[in-house]
PDB file of all heavy atoms in Angstrom:
ATOM      1  N   THR A 195      75.110   7.709 -26.774  1.00 94.00           N
ATOM      2  CA  THR A 195      74.346   6.872 -25.844  1.00 94.00           C
ATOM      3  C   THR A 195      72.873   7.244 -25.852  1.00 94.00           C
ATOM      4  O   THR A 195      71.993   6.370 -25.835  1.00 94.00           O
ATOM      5  CB  THR A 195      74.920   7.008 -24.421  1.00 94.00           C
ATOM      6  OG1 THR A 195      76.267   6.539 -24.418  1.00 94.00           O
ATOM      7  CG2 THR A 195      74.100   6.194 -23.427  1.00 94.00           C
ATOM      8  N   ILE A 196      72.587   8.541 -25.883  1.00 95.00           N
ATOM      9  CA  ILE A 196      71.190   8.992 -25.923  1.00 95.00           C
ATOM     10  C   ILE A 196      70.505   8.458 -27.174  1.00 95.00           C
ATOM     11  O   ILE A 196      69.364   7.963 -27.120  1.00 95.00           O
ATOM     12  CB  ILE A 196      71.122  10.523 -25.867  1.00 95.00           C
ATOM     13  CG1 ILE A 196      71.582  11.017 -24.484  1.00 95.00           C
ATOM     14  CG2 ILE A 196      69.704  11.015 -26.155  1.00 95.00           C
ATOM     15  CD1 ILE A 196      71.779  12.515 -24.405  1.00 95.00           C
ATOM     16  N   THR A 197      71.189   8.518 -28.301  1.00 97.00           N
ATOM     17  CA  THR A 197      70.633   7.998 -29.551  1.00 97.00           C
ATOM     18  C   THR A 197      70.367   6.502 -29.459  1.00 97.00           C
ATOM     19  O   THR A 197      69.339   5.995 -29.933  1.00 97.00           O
ATOM     20  CB  THR A 197      71.581   8.289 -30.719  1.00 97.00           C
ATOM     21  OG1 THR A 197      71.741   9.708 -30.861  1.00 97.00           O
ATOM     22  CG2 THR A 197      71.040   7.720 -32.018  1.00 97.00           C
ATOM     23  N   LEU A 198      71.277   5.766 -28.813  1.00 97.00           N
ATOM     24  CA  LEU A 198      71.098   4.322 -28.645  1.00 97.00           C
ATOM     25  C   LEU A 198      69.840   4.019 -27.835  1.00 97.00           C
ATOM     26  O   LEU A 198      69.037   3.151 -28.211  1.00 97.00           O
ATOM     27  CB  LEU A 198      72.324   3.734 -27.942  1.00 97.00           C
ATOM     28  CG  LEU A 198      72.211   2.268 -27.509  1.00 97.00           C
ATOM     29  CD1 LEU A 198      72.031   1.358 -28.713  1.00 97.00           C
ATOM     30  CD2 LEU A 198      73.447   1.859 -26.695  1.00 97.00           C
ATOM     31  N   TYR A 199      69.635   4.733 -26.732  1.00 97.00           N
ATOM     32  CA  TYR A 199      68.452   4.480 -25.906  1.00 97.00           C
ATOM     33  C   TYR A 199      67.166   4.885 -26.618  1.00 97.00           C
ATOM     34  O   TYR A 199      66.126   4.237 -26.437  1.00 97.00           O
ATOM     35  CB  TYR A 199      68.593   5.189 -24.554  1.00 97.00           C
ATOM     36  CG  TYR A 199      69.364   4.376 -23.548  1.00 97.00           C
ATOM     37  CD1 TYR A 199      70.752   4.445 -23.478  1.00 97.00           C
ATOM     38  CD2 TYR A 199      68.712   3.502 -22.679  1.00 97.00           C
ATOM     39  CE1 TYR A 199      71.464   3.680 -22.564  1.00 97.00           C
ATOM     40  CE2 TYR A 199      69.413   2.734 -21.766  1.00 97.00           C
ATOM     41  CZ  TYR A 199      70.794   2.823 -21.714  1.00 97.00           C
ATOM     42  OH  TYR A 199      71.493   2.058 -20.813  1.00 97.00           O
ATOM     43  N   ARG A 200      67.218   5.935 -27.416  1.00 97.00           N
ATOM     44  CA  ARG A 200      66.026   6.282 -28.188  1.00 97.00           C
ATOM     45  C   ARG A 200      65.703   5.197 -29.202  1.00 97.00           C
ATOM     46  O   ARG A 200      64.520   4.890 -29.435  1.00 97.00           O
ATOM     47  CB  ARG A 200      66.227   7.632 -28.884  1.00 97.00           C
ATOM     48  CG  ARG A 200      65.870   8.845 -28.034  1.00 97.00           C
ATOM     49  CD  ARG A 200      64.404   8.838 -27.596  1.00 97.00           C
ATOM     50  NE  ARG A 200      63.492   8.601 -28.688  1.00 97.00           N
ATOM     51  CZ  ARG A 200      63.013   9.553 -29.500  1.00 97.00           C
ATOM     52  NH1 ARG A 200      63.367  10.820 -29.302  1.00 97.00           N
ATOM     53  NH2 ARG A 200      62.187   9.265 -30.470  1.00 97.00           N
ATOM     54  N   ARG A 201      66.710   4.611 -29.813  1.00 97.00           N
ATOM     55  CA  ARG A 201      66.467   3.508 -30.742  1.00 97.00           C
ATOM     56  C   ARG A 201      65.867   2.322 -30.010  1.00 97.00           C
ATOM     57  O   ARG A 201      64.963   1.650 -30.524  1.00 97.00           O
ATOM     58  CB  ARG A 201      67.755   3.095 -31.453  1.00 97.00           C
ATOM     59  CG  ARG A 201      68.252   4.071 -32.509  1.00 97.00           C
ATOM     60  CD  ARG A 201      69.133   3.378 -33.544  1.00 97.00           C
ATOM     61  NE  ARG A 201      70.265   2.681 -32.942  1.00 97.00           N
ATOM     62  CZ  ARG A 201      71.465   3.206 -32.729  1.00 97.00           C
ATOM     63  NH1 ARG A 201      71.698   4.480 -33.072  1.00 97.00           N
ATOM     64  NH2 ARG A 201      72.440   2.496 -32.202  1.00 97.00           N
ATOM     65  N   ALA A 202      66.381   2.051 -28.814  1.00 97.00           N
ATOM     66  CA  ALA A 202      65.828   0.946 -28.013  1.00 97.00           C
ATOM     67  C   ALA A 202      64.373   1.226 -27.677  1.00 97.00           C
ATOM     68  O   ALA A 202      63.522   0.324 -27.755  1.00 97.00           O
ATOM     69  CB  ALA A 202      66.657   0.758 -26.742  1.00 97.00           C
ATOM     70  N   TRP A 203      64.066   2.475 -27.293  1.00 98.00           N
ATOM     71  CA  TRP A 203      62.679   2.824 -26.965  1.00 98.00           C
ATOM     72  C   TRP A 203      61.778   2.647 -28.184  1.00 98.00           C
ATOM     73  O   TRP A 203      60.684   2.084 -28.090  1.00 98.00           O
ATOM     74  CB  TRP A 203      62.592   4.264 -26.461  1.00 98.00           C
ATOM     75  CG  TRP A 203      61.241   4.607 -25.904  1.00 98.00           C
ATOM     76  CD1 TRP A 203      60.831   4.501 -24.605  1.00 98.00           C
ATOM     77  CD2 TRP A 203      60.099   5.089 -26.644  1.00 98.00           C
ATOM     78  NE1 TRP A 203      59.508   4.882 -24.482  1.00 98.00           N
ATOM     79  CE2 TRP A 203      59.043   5.244 -25.719  1.00 98.00           C
ATOM     80  CE3 TRP A 203      59.879   5.398 -27.983  1.00 98.00           C
ATOM     81  CZ2 TRP A 203      57.781   5.699 -26.101  1.00 98.00           C
ATOM     82  CZ3 TRP A 203      58.624   5.848 -28.375  1.00 98.00           C
ATOM     83  CH2 TRP A 203      57.591   5.993 -27.432  1.00 98.00           C
ATOM     84  N   ASP A 204      62.236   3.131 -29.325  1.00 98.00           N
ATOM     85  CA  ASP A 204      61.437   2.996 -30.548  1.00 98.00           C
ATOM     86  C   ASP A 204      61.166   1.533 -30.879  1.00 98.00           C
ATOM     87  O   ASP A 204      60.055   1.169 -31.295  1.00 98.00           O
ATOM     88  CB  ASP A 204      62.160   3.659 -31.729  1.00 98.00           C
ATOM     89  CG  ASP A 204      62.185   5.184 -31.633  1.00 98.00           C
ATOM     90  OD1 ASP A 204      61.382   5.748 -30.870  1.00 98.00           O
ATOM     91  OD2 ASP A 204      63.023   5.804 -32.317  1.00 98.00           O
ATOM     92  N   ALA A 205      62.190   0.688 -30.693  1.00 98.00           N
ATOM     93  CA  ALA A 205      62.025  -0.740 -30.985  1.00 98.00           C
ATOM     94  C   ALA A 205      61.004  -1.371 -30.050  1.00 98.00           C
ATOM     95  O   ALA A 205      60.153  -2.168 -30.479  1.00 98.00           O
ATOM     96  CB  ALA A 205      63.371  -1.455 -30.876  1.00 98.00           C
ATOM     97  N   LEU A 206      61.061  -1.037 -28.776  1.00 98.00           N
ATOM     98  CA  LEU A 206      60.098  -1.580 -27.819  1.00 98.00           C
ATOM     99  C   LEU A 206      58.693  -1.037 -28.075  1.00 98.00           C
ATOM    100  O   LEU A 206      57.696  -1.760 -27.951  1.00 98.00           O
ATOM    101  CB  LEU A 206      60.540  -1.248 -26.395  1.00 98.00           C
ATOM    102  CG  LEU A 206      61.810  -1.975 -25.936  1.00 98.00           C
ATOM    103  CD1 LEU A 206      62.406  -1.291 -24.702  1.00 98.00           C
ATOM    104  CD2 LEU A 206      61.511  -3.444 -25.628  1.00 98.00           C
ATOM    105  N   ALA A 207      58.609   0.233 -28.458  1.00 98.00           N
ATOM    106  CA  ALA A 207      57.306   0.852 -28.717  1.00 98.00           C
ATOM    107  C   ALA A 207      56.589   0.184 -29.886  1.00 98.00           C
ATOM    108  O   ALA A 207      55.352   0.165 -29.929  1.00 98.00           O
ATOM    109  CB  ALA A 207      57.484   2.344 -28.989  1.00 98.00           C
ATOM    110  N   GLU A 208      57.335  -0.371 -30.830  1.00 98.00           N
ATOM    111  CA  GLU A 208      56.722  -1.045 -31.971  1.00 98.00           C
ATOM    112  C   GLU A 208      55.945  -2.286 -31.535  1.00 98.00           C
ATOM    113  O   GLU A 208      55.030  -2.721 -32.235  1.00 98.00           O
ATOM    114  CB  GLU A 208      57.796  -1.445 -32.990  1.00 98.00           C
ATOM    115  CG  GLU A 208      58.375  -0.284 -33.774  1.00 98.00           C
ATOM    116  CD  GLU A 208      59.373  -0.756 -34.823  1.00 98.00           C
ATOM    117  OE1 GLU A 208      59.405  -1.974 -35.107  1.00 98.00           O
ATOM    118  OE2 GLU A 208      60.122   0.095 -35.343  1.00 98.00           O
ATOM    119  N   SER A 209      56.324  -2.870 -30.394  1.00 98.00           N
ATOM    120  CA  SER A 209      55.655  -4.086 -29.908  1.00 98.00           C
ATOM    121  C   SER A 209      54.467  -3.795 -29.009  1.00 98.00           C
ATOM    122  O   SER A 209      53.785  -4.723 -28.567  1.00 98.00           O
ATOM    123  CB  SER A 209      56.668  -4.952 -29.135  1.00 98.00           C
ATOM    124  OG  SER A 209      57.740  -5.336 -29.965  1.00 98.00           O
ATOM    125  N   ALA A 210      54.219  -2.512 -28.717  1.00 98.00           N
ATOM    126  CA  ALA A 210      53.184  -2.141 -27.751  1.00 98.00           C
ATOM    127  C   ALA A 210      51.814  -2.002 -28.406  1.00 98.00           C
ATOM    128  O   ALA A 210      51.692  -1.825 -29.621  1.00 98.00           O
ATOM    129  CB  ALA A 210      53.564  -0.826 -27.070  1.00 98.00           C
ATOM    130  N   VAL A 211      50.791  -2.097 -27.558  1.00 97.00           N
ATOM    131  CA  VAL A 211      49.422  -1.779 -27.977  1.00 97.00           C
ATOM    132  C   VAL A 211      49.021  -0.477 -27.282  1.00 97.00           C
ATOM    133  O   VAL A 211      49.522  -0.142 -26.206  1.00 97.00           O
ATOM    134  CB  VAL A 211      48.439  -2.910 -27.625  1.00 97.00           C
ATOM    135  CG1 VAL A 211      48.786  -4.167 -28.405  1.00 97.00           C
ATOM    136  CG2 VAL A 211      48.433  -3.205 -26.128  1.00 97.00           C
ATOM    137  N   TYR A 212      48.103   0.255 -27.906  1.00 96.00           N
ATOM    138  CA  TYR A 212      47.760   1.593 -27.435  1.00 96.00           C
ATOM    139  C   TYR A 212      46.239   1.766 -27.387  1.00 96.00           C
ATOM    140  O   TYR A 212      45.494   0.942 -27.903  1.00 96.00           O
ATOM    141  CB  TYR A 212      48.383   2.660 -28.355  1.00 96.00           C
ATOM    142  CG  TYR A 212      49.883   2.569 -28.433  1.00 96.00           C
ATOM    143  CD1 TYR A 212      50.499   1.751 -29.379  1.00 96.00           C
ATOM    144  CD2 TYR A 212      50.689   3.280 -27.557  1.00 96.00           C
ATOM    145  CE1 TYR A 212      51.877   1.651 -29.454  1.00 96.00           C
ATOM    146  CE2 TYR A 212      52.072   3.200 -27.623  1.00 96.00           C
ATOM    147  CZ  TYR A 212      52.655   2.382 -28.571  1.00 96.00           C
ATOM    148  OH  TYR A 212      54.023   2.291 -28.628  1.00 96.00           O
ATOM    149  N   GLY A 213      45.809   2.868 -26.770  1.00 94.00           N
ATOM    150  CA  GLY A 213      44.401   3.224 -26.769  1.00 94.00           C
ATOM    151  C   GLY A 213      43.515   2.143 -26.177  1.00 94.00           C
ATOM    152  O   GLY A 213      43.821   1.566 -25.125  1.00 94.00           O
ATOM    153  N   PRO A 214      42.399   1.815 -26.844  1.00 95.00           N
ATOM    154  CA  PRO A 214      41.475   0.791 -26.324  1.00 95.00           C
ATOM    155  C   PRO A 214      42.138  -0.562 -26.097  1.00 95.00           C
ATOM    156  O   PRO A 214      41.779  -1.277 -25.156  1.00 95.00           O
ATOM    157  CB  PRO A 214      40.399   0.713 -27.419  1.00 95.00           C
ATOM    158  CG  PRO A 214      40.438   2.048 -28.083  1.00 95.00           C
ATOM    159  CD  PRO A 214      41.876   2.466 -28.078  1.00 95.00           C
ATOM    160  N   ASP A 215      43.113  -0.919 -26.963  1.00 96.00           N
ATOM    161  CA  ASP A 215      43.795  -2.209 -26.774  1.00 96.00           C
ATOM    162  C   ASP A 215      44.608  -2.209 -25.485  1.00 96.00           C
ATOM    163  O   ASP A 215      44.660  -3.225 -24.781  1.00 96.00           O
ATOM    164  CB  ASP A 215      44.709  -2.506 -27.974  1.00 96.00           C
ATOM    165  CG  ASP A 215      43.920  -2.812 -29.236  1.00 96.00           C
ATOM    166  OD1 ASP A 215      42.769  -3.273 -29.119  1.00 96.00           O
ATOM    167  OD2 ASP A 215      44.448  -2.574 -30.336  1.00 96.00           O
ATOM    168  N   ALA A 216      45.253  -1.079 -25.176  1.00 96.00           N
ATOM    169  CA  ALA A 216      45.996  -0.977 -23.915  1.00 96.00           C
ATOM    170  C   ALA A 216      45.042  -1.030 -22.735  1.00 96.00           C
ATOM    171  O   ALA A 216      45.309  -1.706 -21.722  1.00 96.00           O
ATOM    172  CB  ALA A 216      46.808   0.318 -23.891  1.00 96.00           C
ATOM    173  N   GLN A 217      43.913  -0.329 -22.840  1.00 95.00           N
ATOM    174  CA  GLN A 217      42.912  -0.367 -21.769  1.00 95.00           C
ATOM    175  C   GLN A 217      42.407  -1.786 -21.543  1.00 95.00           C
ATOM    176  O   GLN A 217      42.230  -2.221 -20.401  1.00 95.00           O
ATOM    177  CB  GLN A 217      41.748   0.560 -22.101  1.00 95.00           C
ATOM    178  CG  GLN A 217      42.042   2.029 -21.884  1.00 95.00           C
ATOM    179  CD  GLN A 217      40.819   2.875 -22.134  1.00 95.00           C
ATOM    180  OE1 GLN A 217      40.137   2.716 -23.144  1.00 95.00           O
ATOM    181  NE2 GLN A 217      40.526   3.780 -21.208  1.00 95.00           N
ATOM    182  N   HIS A 218      42.157  -2.502 -22.632  1.00 96.00           N
ATOM    183  CA  HIS A 218      41.665  -3.875 -22.519  1.00 96.00           C
ATOM    184  C   HIS A 218      42.676  -4.757 -21.794  1.00 96.00           C
ATOM    185  O   HIS A 218      42.310  -5.558 -20.912  1.00 96.00           O
ATOM    186  CB  HIS A 218      41.383  -4.447 -23.906  1.00 96.00           C
ATOM    187  CG  HIS A 218      40.960  -5.885 -23.900  1.00 96.00           C
ATOM    188  ND1 HIS A 218      39.738  -6.306 -23.449  1.00 96.00           N
ATOM    189  CD2 HIS A 218      41.645  -7.018 -24.269  1.00 96.00           C
ATOM    190  CE1 HIS A 218      39.647  -7.620 -23.541  1.00 96.00           C
ATOM    191  NE2 HIS A 218      40.791  -8.072 -24.034  1.00 96.00           N
TER     192      HIS A 218
END
Side-chain angles (χ1 to χ4, degrees):
T195 298
I196 292 170
T197 299
L198 172 63
Y199 275 87
R200 274 300 311 274
R201 287 204 304 269
W203 189 92
D204 289 342
L206 291 163
E208 287 183 14
S209 300
V211 295
Y212 301 88
D215 290 334
Q217 283 184 312
H218 176 71

